[in-house]
Amino acid sequence: MSQSAHPARPDSTHTTTTSPTPDTAGPLSGVLVADFSRILAGPYATMLLADLGADVVKVEGPGGDDTRTWTPPVRGEVSTYYLGINRGKRSIALDLRTEDDAALARELVRRADVLIENMKPGGMAKYGLDFASVRRDNPGLVYTSITGFGSGAGRHVPGYDLMVQAVSGLMSLTGDPDGPPYRAGISVFDVMAGNHAVIGILAALRHRDTTGEGQLVEVNLLSSALTGLVNHSSAYVAGGTVPYRMGNAHPSVFPYEPFPTADHDLIVTAANDGQFRKLCEVLGAPALADDPRFARNADRTAHRAQLRPLLTERLVTRGALEWFELLVAAGVPSGPINTLDGGFAMAERFGLDPVVTVGEGDRAVPTTRHPIRFSATPAAYRLPPPELDEHGARLRAWLAGPEETAHG
């Protein structure tokens, strides 16, 4: 068979959501994901897959995912960290140190289309859940492993986002030039690796559709970091230049940073000559665009110290929101520096409907909308983040029973 046939699945109790199409099958309908991951990169990836219709079974140890206890903040008594990355899944608690539970886990994997795990390299092998072991019974399985530093010489190094921000060089690029290095405000490489895992899974499923063959998909945080540093990585790899901290300035473009206004700072990003000319016109200083020191981006970057005060003296005459309206209307990218509530408010203003509700009654949870829009198969929000082992009894009964069909 060119595509694995799916075994019978236990029914999920889907809750009513605010989605306009709550009964949509989703583009990944019929794909069973055995999720052995925890904390952020893996759970973020499997949440995105669940939004797109995949049946995600979250396998947790008896103590649950670490993020269940990462508080504050909380909603009720539940960690908002956990709530933010675990919708759409069913939970079964298995103690893999016991043979009975390890056998159930192996049966789940035998029936699955995708496995995702982020244990230390080799950690799954002691339970008979490593790629070499499980592919014998399930050759169509897409086995996805997320590590910090790969499965080779870096396999012994624990993988936490903050460590990778440090060793990758990101922290050396973040902060004031004369100040200490800073971490990014979020676990940016965990999220990036989660997205890379989704890309890898989808590509491997496409390959399986054609050949019937599964494969091992490996993602590591350091590689995600180095590709995610894009222009800075290229500056080093292609140009032999080691970038350095520049605060909020951009090494290759000016103006492309915050500027003071009459009240709050405003981001101004005139990234090409045409945008810069429009900026000067809105500021009432069209002659700046014809000044040979500022005519081209390379000139503006070289003479940023002379240009910045000339722009600032005009920007401080009005408030940030007033300039934002004027500049955007003229085609100049700009934006106020919001707190997170302001970011959601801006998304609401632009009709992006950034918040959806999953679940109902006392299980209803506001959550951030899936970032991708589909014209034919929209994301759906079927299940609230599960309580620990919430679906364990039904899943155990299903795994202990016969399959109606087997993988081809």
Side-chain angles (χ1 to χ4, degrees):
M1 297 175 64
S2 64
Q3 185 173 3
S4 297
H6 300 296
R9 308 272 163 77
D11 292 336
S12 299
T13 304
H14 290 180
T15 57
T16 301
T17 74
T18 58
S19 169
T21 54
D23 297 324
T24 181
L28 296 182
S29 176
V31 173
L32 175 62
V33 179
D35 181 8
F36 289 83
S37 68
R38 60 200 188 282
I39 304 181
L40 179 51
Y44 180 73
T46 54
M47 180 184 72
L48 297 181
L49 297 173
D51 290 347
L52 301 181
D55 180 6
V56 177
V57 176
K58 183 177 179 67
V59 180
E60 303 183 72
D65 190 316
D66 294 13
T67 59
R68 289 182 181 274
T69 62
W70 283 11
T71 61
V74 296
R75 180 179 176 85
E77 298 180 355
V78 183
S79 160
T80 58
Y81 199 124
Y82 170 79
L83 293 176
I85 50 176
N86 283 290
R87 66 176 177 243
K89 308 173 188 181
R90 293 179 291 156
S91 169
I92 182 172
L94 297 176
D95 186 347
L96 299 181
R97 297 168 297 182
T98 69
E99 179 51 32
D100 286 348
D101 278 8
L104 286 174
R106 289 191 292 270
E107 178 62 17
L108 172 63
V109 174
R110 191 179 72 85
R111 302 185 185 197
D113 301 286
V114 176
L115 179 151
I116 185 166
E117 59 89 12
N118 60 353
M119 290 188 181
K120 291 180 182 179
M124 296 285 276
K126 56 188 172 183
Y127 310 117
L129 291 167
D130 55 298
F131 176 62
S133 297
V134 300
R135 73 178 308 194
R136 289 194 292 266
D137 290 329
N138 187 355
L141 181 70
V142 174
Y143 191 110
T144 311
S145 178
I146 302 176
T147 62
F149 301 93
S151 58
R155 62 187 290 120
H156 66 288
V157 183
Y160 283 84
D161 184 272
L162 180 58
M163 293 170 57
V164 179
Q165 290 196 34
V167 303
S168 67
L170 174 65
M171 290 180 65
S172 76
L173 300 170
T174 309
D176 292 328
D178 298 324
Y182 276 95
R183 68 180 289 269
I186 64 162
S187 296
V188 60
F189 295 138
D190 269 333
V191 173
M192 196 174 292
N195 278 312
H196 289 158
V198 170
I199 294 169
I201 288 167
L202 297 179
L205 287 173
R206 179 69 182 93
H207 172 76
R208 193 190 72 172
D209 287 346
T210 303
T211 66
E213 187 177 76
Q215 62 182 297
L216 174 63
V217 176
E218 295 187 273
V219 175
N220 71 81
L221 270 63
L222 183 56
S223 293
S224 286
L226 295 179
T227 190
L229 288 170
V230 286
N231 57 302
H232 294 299
S233 291
S234 183
Y236 171 67
V237 173
T241 298
V242 177
Y244 57 89
R245 284 193 298 284
M246 297 181 65
N248 288 312
H250 193 289
S252 308
V253 182
F254 188 85
Y256 197 95
E257 61 188 62
F259 286 83
T261 70
D263 46 23
H264 306 295
D265 281 1
L266 178 75
I267 295 293
V268 177
T269 59
N272 58 51
D273 297 343
Q275 290 174 345
F276 180 68
R277 182 169 294 279
K278 292 176 182 178
L279 170 65
C280 295
E281 290 170 355
V282 173
L283 295 181
L288 288 178
D290 296 317
D291 189 313
R293 295 174 298 171
F294 313 136
R296 299 175 306 155
N297 176 68
D299 302 320
R300 294 189 292 276
T301 302
H303 297 98
R304 68 175 74 212
Q306 292 77 43
L307 179 54
R308 195 176 201 282
L310 298 176
L311 298 176
T312 298
E313 70 179 2
R314 290 161 175 82
L315 286 165
V316 296
T317 62
R318 301 188 185 195
L321 287 177
E322 187 176 0
W323 280 124
F324 169 68
E325 301 289 353
L326 292 169
L327 290 172
V328 169
V332 180
S334 71
I337 301 176
N338 291 323
T339 51
L340 196 58
D341 55 339
F344 275 89
M346 188 74 79
E348 290 282 5
R349 171 183 172 179
F350 294 148
L352 300 179
D353 301 324
V355 179
V356 294
T357 299
V358 59
E360 59 185 5
D362 59 3
R363 293 293 302 280
V365 179
T367 185
T368 307
R369 181 180 293 278
H370 188 93
I372 304 172
R373 303 235 178 181
F374 296 83
S375 64
T377 55
Y381 311 94
R382 292 177 289 272
L383 295 169
E387 297 175 356
L388 179 60
D389 203 40
E390 179 178 347
H391 309 91
R394 178 171 290 185
L395 287 165
R396 285 183 180 86
W398 173 63
L399 292 170
E403 289 182 279
E404 292 184 6
T405 56
H407 283 292

